[in-house]
């Protein structure tokens, strides 16, 4: 059996750490070996005296970093290493930012989608999604690779500045050829790399932070038989879009100061998690009296979701682009507000028909919300894909598809609702975490000067989704606050329902008598460690309340 001696650190040893470094060498030798090692195998790799090696092995076993199998006399990586790895993945903001895109791309292309990160002059797979994982007994192992020997590395090199890039490849014997590949990657927007034997070709696009620095790359492998140029370039375009979305997720303000470390009290016993599975970012729930179903969106998957309380079954329809708004039509069809416009969607056939595109001149924006008023007008907000505040607008679209831009360059318009007398518009803004109320004339679309109604705060989260009940009280999903609040029209907090999720996103009334509150949530924007603290994050919750809500308004587009 051949084993490889752990690569020595080129840095100068830190005084007093000899025993620690030896212990790490032992742990790495066992963890990196192609198969479990016996004592003699380990000694051959690390070249330590028997007594020293026995003491190090005993210490590592005591800390559960190693496990010894009495039957085979072999050493294995211990349970604590796996626990540390799991917690590290839970804390990874890059994984949370890219996970929706890995899932979407794996489904779209029908092949594994990998998230690579760079470690010096190497890259390695931090996470991946496999489209056939449920049906395959295979366990995939992705080897560490040199930064210049795969598409993921080239994509990250192409996104670096010239000095940083030159520093990574200056000693390479084929630096000039690598530069050619980097130039091609910059021109295409994605990288291609084929192994020397003409076998696997990989395609990748870089994920960048708000400063434009490449923090990761999303990559897909193609074997020699299916690596046709048309297929590769089509995959490249999909990866560019996925990496762009992931970059926007990575740049999202996490609002950590507005996320309470724990729930502010006992979880309300009325809260029931539904068997809908986990959404990356559940949003825009709408109850359909026509079908007795709850519809909502998983914005960043992206997908249309629906749930039937009678059967307790949930479904998903994968969508071709990011969709941030949802409304109902009288004939049972839906209205979806996507990145490239407002569409009519037929659930039975999954057909999409473009109705209107208010922001065709703003390709870096997407729709983020949808609401319908009592006169059947659709109100919709947009935002920048990278979550930069002040780039979106707020629109009123009449049933005959006339468009009025009511607010220009808003912060991050979230969700809208109206008072029972139709004279007040409530609109939450993620840019400053404030829910405002505005005097409004629905017939003309005229909106007056707004005033704060609910201000977000570190001790309660920020207002996000909103709806109004039959008494005119306003229900608010408090993002980061583990709760939903009920306010009087005067702005007095009269009820708080504590939830098992820190990030409720939106809510609506539904059920047979409209006394059920359905609450969507997200886990994508959770700070490190919260996925373990709140495992129900991303699920839909239902809550039975005393005061019913109002029937949903319908957008009767002609």
């Amino acid at each position: 059996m051949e084993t490889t001696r752990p690569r020595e650190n080129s840095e100068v040893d830190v005084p007093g750490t000899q025993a620690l470094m030896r212990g790490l060498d032992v742990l790495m030798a066992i963890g990196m070996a192609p198969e479990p090692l016996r004592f003699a195998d380990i000694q051959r790799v690390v070249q330590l005296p028997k007594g020293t090696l026995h003491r190090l092995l005993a210490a590592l076993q005591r800390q559960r970093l190693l496990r010894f199998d009495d039957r085979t006399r072999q050493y294995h990586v211990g349970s604590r290493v796996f626990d540390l790895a799991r917690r590290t993945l839970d804390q990874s903001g890059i994984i949370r930012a890219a996970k929706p895109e890995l899932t979407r791309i794996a489904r779209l292309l029908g092949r594994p989608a990998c998230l690579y990160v760079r470690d010096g002059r190497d890259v390695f797979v931090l996470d991946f999604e496999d489209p056939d994982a449920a049906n395959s007994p295979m366990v995939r192992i992705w080897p560490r690779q040199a930064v210049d020997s795969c598409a993921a590395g080239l994509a990250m090199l192409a996104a670096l500045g010239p000095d940083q890039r030159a520093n990574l490849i200056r000693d390479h014997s084929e630096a000039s050829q690598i530069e050619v590949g980097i130039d091609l990657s910059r021109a295409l927007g994605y990288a291609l790399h084929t192994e020397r034997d003409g076998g696997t070709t990989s395609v990748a696009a870089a994920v960048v932070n708000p400063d434009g620095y490449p923090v990761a790359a999303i990559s897909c492998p193609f074997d020699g038989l299916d690596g046709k140029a048309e297929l590769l370039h089509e995959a490249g375009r999909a990866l560019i879009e996925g990496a762009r979305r992931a970059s926007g997720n990575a740049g999202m303000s996490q609002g950590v100061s507005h996320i309470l470390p724990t729930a502010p009290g006992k979880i309300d016993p009325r809260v029931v998690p539904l068997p809908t599975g986990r959404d990356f970012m559940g949003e825009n729930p709408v109850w359909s009296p026509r079908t007795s179903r709850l519809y909502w969106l998983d914005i960043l998957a992206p997908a249309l979701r629906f749930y039937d309380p009678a059967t307790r079954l949930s479904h998903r329809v994968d969508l071709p682009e990011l969709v941030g708004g949802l409304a109902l039509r009288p004939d049972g069809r839906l209205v979806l507000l996507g990145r490239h416009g407002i569409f009519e969607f037929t659930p039975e056939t999954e057909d999409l028909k473009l109705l209107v595109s208010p922001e065709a001149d703003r390709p870096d924006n997407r729709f983020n919300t949808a609401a319908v008023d009592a006169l059947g007008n659709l109100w919709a907000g947009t935002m920048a894909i990278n979550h930069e505040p002040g780039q979106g607008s707020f629109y009123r679209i009449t049933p005959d598809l006339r468009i009025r831009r009511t607010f220009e360059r808003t912060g991050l318009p979230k969700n809208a609702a109206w008072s029972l007398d139709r004279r007040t518009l409530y609109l939450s803004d993620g840019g400053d975490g404030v829910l405002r109320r505005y005097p409004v004339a629905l017939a003309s679309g005229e909106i007056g000067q707004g005033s704060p109604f609910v201000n977000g705060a570190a001790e309660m989260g920020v207002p996000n989704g909103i709806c109004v009940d039959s008494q005119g009280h306003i229900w608010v999903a408090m993002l980061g606050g583990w709760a939903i609040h009920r306010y009087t029209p005067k702005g007095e907090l009269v009820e708080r329902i504590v939830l098992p999720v820190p990030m409720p996103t939106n809510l609506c009334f539904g059920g047979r008598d409209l006394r059920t509150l359905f609450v969507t949530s997200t886990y994508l924007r959770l700070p490190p460690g919260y996925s373990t603290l709140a495992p129900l994050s991303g699920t839909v919750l239902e809550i039975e309340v005393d005061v019913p809500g109002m029937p949903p308004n319908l957008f009767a587009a002609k």
Side-chain angles (χ1 to χ4, degrees), residues 394-414:
F394 193 58
Y395 296 89
R396 171 182 175 267
I397 299 109
T398 62
D400 59 357
L401 301 182
R402 286 178 295 159
I403 302 169
R404 175 173 183 158
R405 187 175 287 169
T406 59
F407 293 144
E408 173 66 89
R409 301 300 179 186
T410 59
L412 289 173
K414 288 291 186 177

Side-chain angles (χ1 to χ4, degrees), residues 60-302:
L60 291 169
Q61 290 177 76
R62 187 164 56 249
Q63 294 298 320
R64 300 200 302 280
L65 297 173
L66 288 182
R67 174 178 60 86
F68 179 67
D69 188 327
D70 289 320
R71 182 178 60 83
T72 63
R73 313 298 295 174
Q74 293 172 328
Y75 289 86
H76 303 260
V77 172
S79 60
R80 182 159 289 180
V81 173
F82 294 104
D83 186 49
L84 289 172
R86 180 184 61 80
R87 290 179 180 273
T88 300
L89 293 176
D90 182 33
Q91 293 171 357
S92 174
I94 298 174
I95 290 179
R96 289 196 302 277
K99 195 69 172 178
E101 295 310 310
L102 295 178
T103 302
R104 185 184 66 84
I105 290 170
R107 290 197 191 113
L108 177 66
L109 300 180
R111 63 191 61 252
C114 302
L115 179 68
Y116 281 82
V117 293
R118 185 169 64 88
D119 179 22
R121 299 190 181 190
D122 292 342
V123 294
F124 65 92
V125 173
L126 185 64
D127 194 19
F128 74 96
E129 283 291 325
D130 195 333
D132 61 357
N135 302 315
S136 173
M138 179 172 55
V139 176
R140 297 187 185 273
I141 299 177
W142 305 98
R144 177 181 285 256
Q145 295 175 273
V147 71
D148 54 79
S149 66
C150 63
L154 291 175
M156 285 187 270
L157 284 173
L160 287 172
D163 293 340
Q164 295 171 304
R165 186 165 62 244
N167 183 56
L168 289 171
I169 64 173
R170 67 173 184 269
D171 298 328
H172 201 287
S173 60
E174 300 179 355
S176 59
Q177 295 182 14
I178 296 171
E179 286 284 3
V180 172
I182 290 172
D183 288 343
L184 179 61
S185 301
R186 296 176 68 189
L188 291 171
Y190 59 89
L192 290 168
H193 184 273
T194 301
E195 295 182 356
R196 291 183 180 275
D197 59 4
T200 301
T201 297
S202 54
V203 188
V207 178
V208 300
N209 66 12
D211 297 325
Y213 184 83
V215 294
I218 299 176
S219 181
C220 285
F222 291 77
D223 63 40
L225 296 178
D226 59 13
K228 297 179 181 179
E230 299 86 355
L231 182 61
L232 294 175
H233 290 296
E234 183 176 334
R237 288 191 291 270
L239 287 167
I240 289 175
E241 180 67 17
R244 187 178 187 185
R245 292 181 189 172
S247 299
N249 296 339
M252 282 194 303
S253 171
Q254 298 298 319
V256 175
S257 62
H258 293 298
I259 298 182
L260 301 179
T262 57
K266 186 177 180 181
I267 307 301
D268 195 295
R270 293 174 292 175
V271 178
V272 177
L274 297 179
T276 58
R278 172 182 268 191
D279 296 318
F280 290 110
M281 183 170 284
E283 255 287 6
N284 212 154
V286 180
W287 174 257
S288 171
R290 180 188 179 99
T291 62
S292 296
R293 285 176 171 177
L294 175 73
Y295 291 93
W296 75 99
L297 298 170
D298 187 351
I299 291 181
L300 298 176

Side-chain angles (χ1 to χ4, degrees), residues 498-535:
V498 179
L499 307 174
V501 298
M503 301 284 277
T505 53
N506 211 335
L507 68 173
C508 75
F509 285 96
R512 184 174 54 191
D513 55 4
L514 296 176
R515 292 179 185 269
T516 301
L517 265 177
F518 293 101
V519 183
T520 54
S521 64
T522 178
Y523 85 93
L524 180 66
R525 296 179 63 184
L526 292 178
Y530 275 68
S531 294
T532 302
L533 184 64

Side-chain angles (χ1 to χ4, degrees), residues 275 306-315:
F306 57 93
Y307 171 73
D308 186 341
T311 62
R312 292 186 63 78
L313 296 177
S314 64
H315 305 269

